[in-house]
Amino acid sequence: MIKTFPDALLLMGHDGQDFSTVRYDDYGSIYAAATKPIGTCYAAHTLLENTLGVRWYYPSEEVGQVAPTSAHVVVKNLNIRRRPDAPVRSIYPLFINTERLYFTEWDQPQKFQSSWVNARTSLLYWIRNRFWGGMRHNANHSFSYYDRAFGQSHPEWFSSKSYVRMKQLNYQTEVQPCLTAPGFADQVVQIARDYFDGKPEPFPGAYRSATGHFFSVMPNDNTNMCGCPECRAQYRKDVGPDGNAGHYVWGFVNRVAREVKKTHPRAMISNCAYFNYTSPPHGMIFESNVAVEFCKFYTEYSNRNYQERDYRRIAEYAHQNNVEFFTTWEYLLKPHITEWAFPCLAPHVHADDVRRLHDIDGFRGGKLQFLYMGTYAGDKATGGVAQVSPVLDFMNLYWRMKLYDDATLDIEQALDEYYRAFFGPGSEDMKAFYTAIEDRWMTLGGGHDSRTWWGKLGTPEFLKEVGGHIDEARQATAAGTIYRKRVELIDAGILQHLLKARVRYEKSAISELVPLGTAGVAHAGTAASRDDWADDATWADAPVNEIQKTLNNEPVSQKTVFKLAWGEEHLYVYARCLEPNVSQMKADTLDNDVGGFSDDSIELFVDPSGKGETYYQFCINSRGAVYDALENPTAIGATATVSWDSDIKVQTTIGKDAWELRAALPLASLVKQPPRPGSTWRFNLCRNRFAEPGKPPYSAWSPTPAGFRDPRRFGIITFNATEDHGRTVWNCDFESTAFESQSGESPLIGRDGWYENTAYANRGWDRSWKVVDRGGNRLAACDINSTCPSDVVPMYAVQVSPGVVSVEVDFRRLATHNQPALAVTAANGKRIGYLYGWAGRSDLVAIEQPGDRQNYGHAQHGLREFSKPDQWFGLKLVIDTAQRNITGFVRSGRGEWVALNNEPLPYYNPEADGTPLFLSFGTYKQKTIDNNVLEMDNIRVIQLSRDE
Ligand SMILES: [Zn+2]
């Protein structure tokens, strides 16, 4: 309460009963005082902030605060009674890098020094912003110490069902309590009652996640839910991976809440909506004392659908499940700046988000978790953690704090005030700087990995633009002023991070576009039957594929080759791992579904949908122990659903200098509709090799620099018809689910291996190509008026074998003023061949040769005006990689291919070399005209012959 009287000012609030003298310069003394209610302190800070205009933007009394100065302070006619809008205002961690306010040495974490962390300044920052002293609340993993307390006496209370087994596993990330085990729920209820009765912990860690009147009941940090029949009966297979354990977990939480409420009516039972219990359990009515903390990722909100999905789910908890108390856990520490990410600084997202949450009954604030790191004293880790870069966190953390205090905050006005008050004459330029960074993330759809962070968002042009804003802000502010200092601070904490991360990206192997693996899956014909599937005849037609690089992009130490085949019921995998040290191989895993990742093993990754939303993972060690799981990487924090079973058949053999795997994956366990000839799936085959200490153990066929479990980097496999004999290396299957979308229109670039060449991507990714439905057939279409004026996009990379290879595509244009083209380039950037239809001519095609363009008209191909508007026609290049020559073909509609050149022509550039082929399809823009549309379909790469 703040109230003025004729001769007095009243500042008052709900306080703790007794304070000893508070020593303002002493962290311990302030902390002791601030553990009790501090309502009067709130009144004082509210007067300072809301009435007198003081701002505590950053936790630094030197540069972080704004305090207007005047000789007299006049306050009158005040009669304010308020409290922060969100009662739960929780932060993690408490301590802050107050002395530097930023950090950019992500590859040298030991440089993060504890001497930069001032505990008092940290605490005062939260107190002054009224983010300290909210309702005590927690929702977190609560069974963390149950293994020690009950593992021996009650092994049946855990998913491992054996104490010996449990000790071999990581309890928090691999084991779960068995929530249906007799006696277990009673035990949890008893511990909760002990807590609320104020009894001492019955065993160390029993109250780990309890605080205030909240007692957490939350499973361990993994999705390997118990596989016993009673538990399995409660999973919902039809809900999808973010909710299949919803009834199981929330049912248990509800049961505990019901029991505890009988003896402790005010006690709350809290749990997070997380992992495979994120989406609400349809139809379940929650007890009134269940508190839900919904885990949320603001970085995904560049996708409107994702944001709306969160509100729909939360609203279902509130309105259908009758949850009366809900909070959110905000992952403000994303994206992981420590991985040199492009930052998502999005104040408008937070303003919109908090407003939307308030519209749902029962919102009480929640937890803000921001970027923190372990601190060091010199080179020694101190064991403590602290917020590492308030400068990077500011736009997300500070505004979220203000919005939890006052949900009606006008973000535009508040931001303008920040720019003006904090940067003075540099305000316009700093506004432009921050706005550009927010817009970049939101309009280009965010980023998830180095390539999108730095290939799409943090391009050289963009960094030049934002660097220019900082330069101008520096010029606008006088040297030595506080405003200049603040511009320098933002430069050091944000711009320098961007520049360093970009340089690092350019130097790394990931910036060079490593093509995805591409391979044909031969049809096994009648060779594979139920009994003799493992015979080599199954793979008789299958081409050989090879793993070439380790995850660090170095050549592999031992060769791994594999072949793929398919039949009516199975996908067949044969892999041969050369291994001179077979006696040294690790094979510790004996049981299925435990792991085997640390054994000499093969991992398979299969995503039939091609969407990267879910995929199947298999790990098979040399003994034939199988781990198989359904993965759902886009679900909140998800790991594996190990209870999923593929019924895979495996056979392993260990020879003198190699071990071999033969596997048959039942198609019915992977897909509802079996693949047809021409279907494509995303697939990867990876090897873990531990038989030779000191050698890098991990290698992958389709390169996955960020680790095996990256569905965007899985290769593409094409199912061949029997008559294709495994020679179709790649068929672009626009009918596949990878290109499905609700609107009937999906982007082409970024899906299923399609990309832009990096030079062009630097100017913002092309949006001119889309996959659309035309009369029941999906194809790719381009609005040429908005495409690239200087290059042919999009691109695709295929790995073929030395020999003769054909690349073909069908085009249809709606106007002739463009140049449908097929270009093939080698890995060294040198062009192999360039075949195109002339702009403005429907009869003429050309094969580009240096200084000597070869033109072909009706007299040569006999197809008249075969590329007239509205007519389909084909372009094909046949490439002989040994002779280093090319032959061009055209066709009208789906007619016969007609060769253009009787004698093969040499490679366009004699220096072109190698067999990863970089293909460009489409046209560059010549001019803006009506109906400037190009369509393409039936794109295919065939290995016609192979040099042995
Ligand atoms: Zn169970």
Side-chain angles (χ1 to χ4, degrees), residues 156 158-159 161 177-181 226-232 235 248:
E156 78 281 7
F158 301 91
S159 58
K161 300 291 174 194
C178 171
L179 301 182
T180 61
C226 178
C228 79
E230 290 75 22
C231 289
R232 285 178 75 167
Y235 305 140
Y248 172 65

